[in-house]
Amino acid sequence: MNQDSLTAVERSPAAEERAYMQRALRLAQNGLFTTDPNPRVGCVLVQGKVIVGEGWHARAGEFHAEVLAIRAADSRTVGSTAYVTLEPCNHTGRTPPCTDALIAAGVARVVCATLDPNPRVSGAGVARLRAADIVVSVGLLADQARELNPGFFSRFERARPFVRLKMAMSLDARTALTGGGREWISGEAARADVQILRARSSAILTGAGTVRIDNPRLNVRLNVDASGAWVRQPLRVVLDPQLSCDLNSAIFQDPGALVFTSPNAHEMHDARAESATADESRVRRVERVPLGGGGLDLAAVLSKLNALEVNELLVECGPRLGGAFLEAELVDEWIVYIAPSLLGCDAAPLTRLTGLQAHLLAFKFQDVRRVGADVRLVLTPLKKINRQ
């Protein structure tokens, strides 16, 4: 911990509280690439007006933010206030309860940004602390805390992952040259930006068409993350209704891909895929889901991914599958990179929307910025707008 963090903060009481929680949120961001499937959590311990301990959760199975902050504070915890970005856990999971650690440390007050959506914790952690005569308040910078963990909240509140759809297009809304073939549309800076999206995701999903045409690996290619030299690789997911993909494709060269297929997929292909599951398999498993909407039932796919503790799902795919996610209203955030180029009217479109009849899909711009030579749009969906 830097010596600067131990100096007194000269602010009004309300501003001080916000400053401490903002510091806890910044600490939590250190775990952006590593905590999955756990939430990103930060904690700041304050004695008087001095920060005496800080901590952030790095990886599942390792100490939580509160315990690390207590350890950093050493003997200065009695009578302190803990600012934590998520309700402290009160159950034994991969680690002991954080509520017990706070009580044993003699913390007098806990300020948490938001309750934990996990029903094993939600409200129970606060109740346990209050039963030990610790003053607890909830709600300071709650929106920011939720924004840091959109998938964790989505998994428990909506029983599905938070879905980001990433696409790249030319100025004329085209995504591939006429006649096919691999060629980058977006520039190097935009492609590096996508690596950040991948690194924070629990899983990356694509379709069989993209595997056959582009042969992507869909892995994270970052040198280091905030905690050192370790980067967690997301689960790679392929939607392949007829099990048509070649198992020698790049996406299957690293262990652990998950393939979703239809109930009537050819048994011979199914056997080929399942045969790859033994001894450091290239295919983690083959899952069958119902058909729906011209392809696999996307809601059923998300339900199965939710059961695998997938918090944030990044979809990188072609126009047809991207359009299917949009039409099914399963996209929570749509990220579009626009390159300053033209591909022509015969090139592949951004999306293929087939089911829109009496309504339009509308979006809100959350962010627009330059990324190298390209422009990145971040959009969130609005409710359907009637054409009539």
Side-chain angles (χ1 to χ4, degrees), residues 25 85 113-114 139-150 153:
L25 287 165
T85 59
T114 180
L140 181 62
L141 302 186
D143 290 344
Q144 291 91 324
R146 289 180 64 93
E147 287 170 6
L148 187 60
N149 292 292
F153 281 89

Side-chain angles (χ1 to χ4, degrees), residues 50-66:
V50 177
I51 295 176
V52 295
E54 296 180 336
W56 54 276
H57 183 49
R59 288 189 268 280
E62 296 186 3
F63 289 119
H64 288 189
E66 299 93 320

